[in-house]
Amino acid sequence: MKNLITRRTFVGGVAGAAGVAAFGGPSMAQLALPKEPVALNVIDVAGNLALTQKAIENYRKAKPNLVSRITFTKAPAPELAGKIKAQQDAGRVDIDLVLTGTDALSAGIDQKLWVELLPAHAAALPKLDDIYLPAAAKMQTLAKGQGVVVTYYPSGPLLEYMPDKVKNVPTTAEELLAWAKANPNRLIYARPANSGPGRTFIMGLPYILGDSNPQDPAKGWDKTWAYLKELGQYIEYYPSGTGAVMKELGEGSRDMTVSTTGWDINPRVLGVVPKEAKVGALKGFHWVADAHYMCVPKGLSNEKVAVLLDLMNFLLTKEQQAYTYDEGYFYPGPAVKGVTLDMAPADSQAAIKEFGRPEYEKLIADNPIELPLQPDQMVVAFRIWDEQVGGSKRK
């Protein structure tokens, strides 16, 4: 059984395979595949390997003429941009493919770390608008051509709680604040810069609270920042990642957290959180969608870029997308149209049948699905949260 905590935490350095090409690079028409197989180093800062590692390994098996071996590494999202920038400045980039959420995607766009994939290499990739689910196609616009969506889910924000501990379940933002005040240190969530549920929560609050501009954290989130500061008075500390949050919820040291469909289902599948945990949504709730992206750091050889584009094509086939149902971690998971649960591996089907929630279908159908912040605005939101809300109480 996969380990929820370790697969989202740093597990070591990345093996070397330095790239030498000039930053940027020619179009795919000029990129030749290697005559000898290459080794690839994949770094995951989003927990995405839970969804895609089997499919990536399938690629290696299917294309031994292109790939000799693949090394998988995991790291916290906030550390990635600095790591890649240092390698680029030294002319020794040994990370080939980055699997990331909107957090490190945004930081990399801000610091100009990524190879332009679209439109530069559009001819080498599927016609994304034709194959993506509508919401996944919208998420693709956030990449600014510098990443390609590989998995998608409507995300949250949801409240997750233990029903034996939380008798009066909050149904509004005001009730959540009152509950936290009456039950100090029993609510927890992780630092948004390294937590899908954390950032989904702060991006969802402007819709719930009726803020002036949900897409402008600096000028349009007056109610949200005031709310988060007040709520923070009753939160003991903010863990560095969601895995630690779910561990505390499961062990009983906290009674409630913010969650998403996948972070609700998967920890219960893995036994980290008891099966009987419940979820709810606050009045005025909008989904804030989430996706994982494939990004390529500048500084790789053209041959490697050619292989990575071929790998992206492979991962976007329906057959490989079916693996992304996983055990509900990014539920549903597929970004591509026409990928149904009955196409997924048997263990995925069994896990979602047992631990999925029938109410999700109605919640998804009945509530608006919004895009998360644009990358530059997400960087601003993380900075303000760190400075004004939780920076002094991070752990």
Side-chain angles (χ1 to χ4, degrees):
M1 180 171 282
K2 296 190 291 289
N3 184 291
L4 177 85
I5 307 302
T6 58
R7 80 181 184 203
R8 294 171 179 77
T9 52
F10 187 70
V11 294
V14 184
V20 295
F23 288 178
S27 70
M28 183 57 182
Q30 299 168 276
L31 293 186
L33 289 164
K35 293 183 173 61
E36 298 290 333
V38 298
L40 294 179
N41 295 314
V42 177
I43 191 166
D44 172 21
V45 296
N48 179 263
L49 286 173
L51 315 176
T52 60
Q53 184 165 343
K54 289 177 184 175
I56 294 170
E57 290 172 341
N58 287 344
Y59 178 78
R60 180 184 58 79
K61 293 171 188 174
K63 303 286 183 84
N65 57 314
L66 298 180
V67 178
S68 57
R69 62 183 174 86
I70 301 176
T71 302
F72 298 102
T73 313
K74 304 174 188 182
E79 294 180 5
L80 182 72
K83 185 182 183 76
I84 292 175
K85 183 71 165 58
Q87 291 184 4
Q88 290 174 341
D89 288 347
R92 293 179 56 84
V93 178
D94 62 9
I95 296 170
D96 301 315
L97 180 68
V98 174
L99 301 171
T100 177
T102 50
D103 42 16
L105 168 76
S106 301
I109 291 172
D110 185 56
Q111 297 185 41
K112 299 179 172 55
L113 303 182
W114 309 129
V115 169
E116 180 189 295
L117 298 173
L118 297 165
H121 299 296
L125 292 164
K127 291 186 177 179
L128 300 179
D129 285 345
D130 291 348
I131 67 167
Y132 278 152
L133 295 164
K138 287 183 179 180
M139 292 297 295
Q140 178 59 37
T141 66
L142 296 180
K144 310 296 184 187
Q146 295 174 58
V148 171
V149 168
V150 66
T151 48
Y152 155 80
Y153 80 137
S155 192
L158 303 168
L159 289 181
E160 185 166 357
Y161 60 94
M162 297 310 302
D164 59 329
K165 302 283 185 64
V166 182
K167 301 301 183 183
N168 297 312
V169 180
T171 61
T172 67
E174 293 75 18
E175 289 176 4
L176 175 60
L177 191 59
W179 185 91
K181 185 175 182 179
N183 299 273
N185 299 335
R186 304 308 295 177
L187 173 70
I188 192 170
Y189 70 93
R191 181 190 180 202
N194 196 39
S195 168
R199 65 177 171 269
T200 301
F201 176 55
I202 69 168
M203 290 189 290
L205 276 175
Y207 298 100
I208 293 168
L209 297 173
D211 246 326
S212 61
N213 186 350
Q215 290 290 318
D216 187 347
K219 298 177 182 176
W221 284 23
D222 290 351
K223 294 177 182 177
T224 294
W225 293 125
Y227 183 91
L228 288 169
K229 289 175 193 175
E230 188 172 356
L231 187 68
Q233 296 177 53
Y234 315 113
I235 294 175
E236 185 176 5
Y237 69 93
Y238 301 93
S240 60
T242 321
V245 169
M246 292 301 170
K247 188 170 184 286
E248 293 203 23
L249 183 68
E251 290 173 347
S253 54
R254 313 292 163 178
D255 301 332
M256 187 186 300
T257 187
V258 299
S259 195
T260 64
T261 58
W263 274 102
D264 159 42
I265 296 172
N266 186 249
R268 291 187 299 117
V269 172
L270 299 178
V272 175
V273 173
K275 184 178 181 179
E276 58 268 23
K278 299 290 187 185
V279 294
L282 298 177
K283 183 180 179 182
F285 156 76
H286 290 211
W287 293 100
V288 179
D290 200 1
H292 289 159
Y293 298 82
M294 301 175 283
C295 296
V296 178
K298 293 176 180 177
L300 302 182
S301 68
N302 290 334
E303 286 185 340
K304 277 204 171 178
V305 175
V307 172
L308 291 167
L309 290 165
D310 192 55
L311 170 60
M312 290 179 190
N313 273 278
F314 184 84
L315 295 180
L316 291 174
T317 62
K318 290 182 180 180
E319 294 77 14
Q320 304 309 317
Q321 283 278 299
Y323 285 97
T324 67
Y325 278 100
D326 178 52
E327 292 175 329
Y329 164 53
F330 214 64
Y331 182 79
V336 169
K337 297 174 187 172
V339 183
T340 54
L341 182 59
D342 61 3
M343 297 167 65
D347 56 349
S348 294
Q349 295 185 44
I352 291 168
K353 182 178 180 181
E354 183 175 357
F355 293 92
R357 297 191 190 273
E359 60 262 39
Y360 280 151
E361 191 173 338
K362 182 172 173 56
L363 273 174
I364 292 170
D366 291 353
N367 293 279
I369 299 177
E370 308 290 350
L371 282 178
L373 295 174
Q374 293 291 321
D376 58 338
Q377 295 300 321
M378 190 167 293
V379 171
V380 170
F382 292 161
R383 177 180 55 78
I384 294 173
W385 188 94
D386 282 348
E387 291 175 353
Q388 299 186 18
V389 179
S392 64
K393 294 169 71 173
R394 283 164 42 194
K395 181 175 178 180

